[in-house]
């Protein structure tokens, strides 16, 4: 029976210690395709970042931008921005509270800023970012908003009444960002495009941010190097990525020989 595989990148397709793609995992992807299965990446990364990762892995289908971007056979099907009204609500609240704001108005390294508060309060982001200073920018004139970065310390999150209006991620104590966080919906949408049954979906992941795509409607496999909370809800826990976890799981279920 044909299965539809969706793989996270960091810590799943790659060795979490080196950041390099695991060769046995890539070989397994090729074997799965040769056996008639569908292979895709599912990531929270922006579309523009995922293009190279998919190319390096030899994968032609992927879900990116937290489920909002779909690519089939190397063709972009869609890449949706955040809900505009909700995005403007959190932007205005953060602005009124005095926090620095960066806004990605397209899917790229570019962010626009009306002032330098983010850089003054936090500094430059660790990831490559092109900061565009637009002092006359009016937030309400922005047509599309893909991500919002706010320099609010973790200890002050309580000040934002609309904190949870959109999905957000924090990987440090000094700022967080709003982005799509619905990889599970991206998978459902991809399966609709393929006219396939979601019970035939198989997902592989390792991090807390993969919990959203570990659903009871399909098969969920956690890497041995994964977060304990993810392992607790997985249907199966395999070995670490660098210990041939993807290959061993696929051998276990008989998807490859």
């Amino acid at each position: 029976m044909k299965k539809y595989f969706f793989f996270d990148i960091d810590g799943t397709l790659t060795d979490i210690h080196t950041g390099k793609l695991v060769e046995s995992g890539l070989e397994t992807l090729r074997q799965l395709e040769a056996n008639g299965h569908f292979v895709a990446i599912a990531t929270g990364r922006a579309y523009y970042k995922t293009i190279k990762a998919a190319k390096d892995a030899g994968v032609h289908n992927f879900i990116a931008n937290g489920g909002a971007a779909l690519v089939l056979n190397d063709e972009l099907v869609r890449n949706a921005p955040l809900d505009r009204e909700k995005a403007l609500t959190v932007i205005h609240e953060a602005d009124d509270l005095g926090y620095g704001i960066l806004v990605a108005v397209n899917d790229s390294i570019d962010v626009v800023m009306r002032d330098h508060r983010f850089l003054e309060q936090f500094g430059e982001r660790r990831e490559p970012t092109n900061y565009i200073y637009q002092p006359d920018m009016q937030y309400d004139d922005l047509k599309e908003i893909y991500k919002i970065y706010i320099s609010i310390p973790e200890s002050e999150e309580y000040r934002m009444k609309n904190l949870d209006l959109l999905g957000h991620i924090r990987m440090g104590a000094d700022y967080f960002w709003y982005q799509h966080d619905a990889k599970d919906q991206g998978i459902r949408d991809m399966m609709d495009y393929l006219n396939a049954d979601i019970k035939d979906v198989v997902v592989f992941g390792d991090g807390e941010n993969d919990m959203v795509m570990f659903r009871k409607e399909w098969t969920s496999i956690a890497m041995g190097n994964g977060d304990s909370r993810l392992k607790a809800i997985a249907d199966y826990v395999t070995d670490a990525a660098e210990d041939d976890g993807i290959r061993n799981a696929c051998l276990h279920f008989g998807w490859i020989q």
Side-chain angles (χ1 to χ4, degrees), residues 1-256:
M1 180 180 293
K2 182 174 183 177
K3 294 292 184 180
Y4 297 79
F5 292 88
F6 295 86
F7 296 90
D8 175 51
I9 300 174
D10 299 313
T12 300
L13 287 176
T14 68
D15 181 331
I16 197 67
H17 306 292
T18 66
K20 295 182 178 180
L21 291 162
V22 177
E23 192 59 38
S24 67
L26 299 184
E27 292 172 357
T28 301
L29 267 57
R30 302 291 82 78
Q31 288 179 276
L32 290 171
E33 290 178 322
N35 290 344
H37 300 298
F38 176 86
V39 171
I41 284 171
T43 179
R45 292 186 187 186
Y47 165 69
Y48 80 92
K49 291 182 181 179
T50 309
I51 294 173
K52 183 181 185 305
K55 183 177 181 180
D56 290 345
V59 176
H60 304 284
N61 313 291
F62 63 81
I63 293 166
N65 191 15
L70 303 184
V71 169
L72 275 169
N73 298 318
D74 298 319
E75 294 292 330
L76 181 63
V77 175
R78 74 155 196 230
N79 190 12
L82 293 169
D83 180 291
R84 184 173 178 275
E85 293 307 314
K86 291 181 180 180
L88 289 173
T89 296
V90 297
I91 286 173
H92 283 302
E93 182 176 25
D95 187 44
D96 290 342
L97 289 170
Y99 296 112
I101 301 165
L102 306 176
V103 183
V105 295
N106 52 43
D107 194 303
S108 74
I109 67 171
D110 295 342
V111 294
V112 294
M113 56 187 187
R114 198 166 65 180
D115 51 54
H116 293 87
R117 283 182 297 179
F118 187 96
L119 299 177
E120 292 165 353
Q121 294 169 359
F122 172 76
E124 293 191 1
R125 299 179 61 241
R126 287 183 292 274
E127 294 189 22
T129 305
N130 182 32
Y131 302 93
I132 302 172
Y133 177 46
Q134 295 183 349
D136 298 327
M137 175 177 60
Q138 297 298 316
Y139 293 125
D140 289 336
D141 292 338
L142 299 177
K143 292 182 172 58
E144 292 186 336
I145 300 170
Y146 282 81
K147 289 189 179 183
I148 308 162
Y149 302 90
I150 302 176
S151 56
I152 180 171
E154 189 170 12
S155 61
E156 297 180 19
E157 283 186 356
Y158 71 91
R159 298 185 66 197
M160 285 197 64
K161 297 178 181 178
N162 292 293
L163 178 70
D164 297 320
L165 195 59
L166 293 167
H168 60 281
I169 296 174
R170 179 182 290 277
M171 291 189 179
D174 299 317
Y175 85 98
F176 68 81
W177 65 95
Y178 287 98
Q179 67 168 53
H180 288 288
D181 185 24
K183 288 192 285 188
D184 58 331
Q185 187 58 51
I187 290 172
R188 295 176 191 279
D189 294 342
M190 179 77 86
M191 295 297 281
D192 284 343
Y193 275 103
L194 296 169
N195 195 28
D197 195 326
I198 61 170
K199 69 179 176 58
D200 295 320
V201 166
V202 180
V203 300
F204 281 75
D206 73 298
E208 179 187 1
N209 63 330
D210 295 319
M211 292 178 70
V212 68
M213 68 176 183
F214 272 41
R215 311 298 300 177
K216 291 302 181 184
E217 297 94 324
W218 51 65
T219 303
S220 302
I221 299 176
M223 308 304 293
N225 52 277
D227 187 286
S228 60
R229 290 163 292 185
L230 189 74
K231 292 178 181 179
I233 62 172
D235 295 306
Y236 182 75
V237 178
T238 187
D239 299 303
E242 62 271 23
D243 294 328
D244 306 327
I246 289 176
R247 182 178 68 186
N248 293 342
C250 291
L251 285 169
H252 172 81
F253 284 98
W255 295 318
I256 63 171

